[in-house]
Amino acid sequence: MRAIRAASAALLSAVALMSAAPLALAGDGNNNITSFGFSVTPATITPGGTVTLTSDGCEVPSVTVTSGVFDTVTLTEGRPGTATVDVDAKAGAQYEITFDCKGERGTTPLTIAQGGDTGTHTNTGAHKGVKAGYGTTAASGTDTDGLGTTEVVTGVLLIAGALGAAVVLTRRRAGGRA
């Protein structure tokens, strides 16, 4: 009976830690949380290409978008706008795009694709493939290959929880036959 209580306590502790981990991660150096939404599409573009800028939820009628790779754009009343990336933008570089809503700023990266074509178009193909499950990568604006501390800790806690549940179920079955 004592083993069942210990396993249950361990399982509850693991669940509590797992639910607290995302909260700790949200405050970990992520200063890009805003009260309004914004995006740049596509996220990767060739020099001279055109990007679409969108913003929603800003209480003022205009949002100012700035970057070192295109001229300043003002989005009005939540309508999308476009910007042409400088033809001399460095291929392989990543530029920060800043959205300003009445003094509140949010940023997102724009990557300049490799290639010699400088026509006005968007690059719709993925240059590195899809990475699913790396929510922290987009938020931090960095490109990582591999698992971070949060992912490893979460995985260990999930495994520990599964093992704890297996122990509890095994003990219950064994106790019921005796």
Side-chain angles (χ1 to χ4, degrees):
M1 195 68 154
R2 218 176 274 189
I4 292 174
R5 281 189 227 144
S8 296
L11 184 60
L12 286 174
S13 298
V15 169
L17 285 173
M18 285 188 305
S19 63
L23 295 176
L25 178 64
D28 251 357
N30 184 3
N31 298 324
N32 203 27
I33 298 173
T34 61
S35 63
F36 67 101
F38 55 89
S39 68
V40 175
T41 51
T44 302
I45 190 79
T46 56
T50 301
V51 292
T52 301
L53 309 165
T54 57
S55 175
D56 61 5
C58 185
E59 295 176 5
V60 295
S62 65
V63 173
T64 305
V65 184
T66 57
S67 174
V69 74
F70 56 74
D71 293 333
T72 299
V73 175
T74 301
L75 304 177
T76 56
E77 298 181 28
R79 292 188 180 114
T82 59
T84 302
V85 174
D86 293 338
V87 178
D88 59 349
K90 183 180 177 186
Q94 195 170 55
Y95 292 87
E96 189 172 86
I97 311 302
T98 303
F99 290 77
D100 187 330
C101 168
K102 66 180 179 179
E104 181 182 8
R105 291 186 176 94
T107 61
T108 188
L110 176 65
T111 303
I112 307 302
Q114 303 285 345
D117 185 7
T118 58
T120 303
H121 68 283
T122 57
N123 180 1
T124 57
H127 73 285
K128 290 179 90 177
V130 175
K131 284 188 179 180
Y134 286 94
T136 57
T137 301
S140 67
T142 60
D143 189 14
T144 59
D145 291 325
L147 297 176
T149 305
T150 305
E151 289 89 357
V152 171
V153 170
T154 303
V156 168
L157 291 174
L158 286 170
I159 291 169
L163 290 174
V167 168
V168 169
L169 291 174
T170 302
R171 297 277 182 171
R172 283 186 184 167
R173 286 185 188 155
R177 293 183 184 156

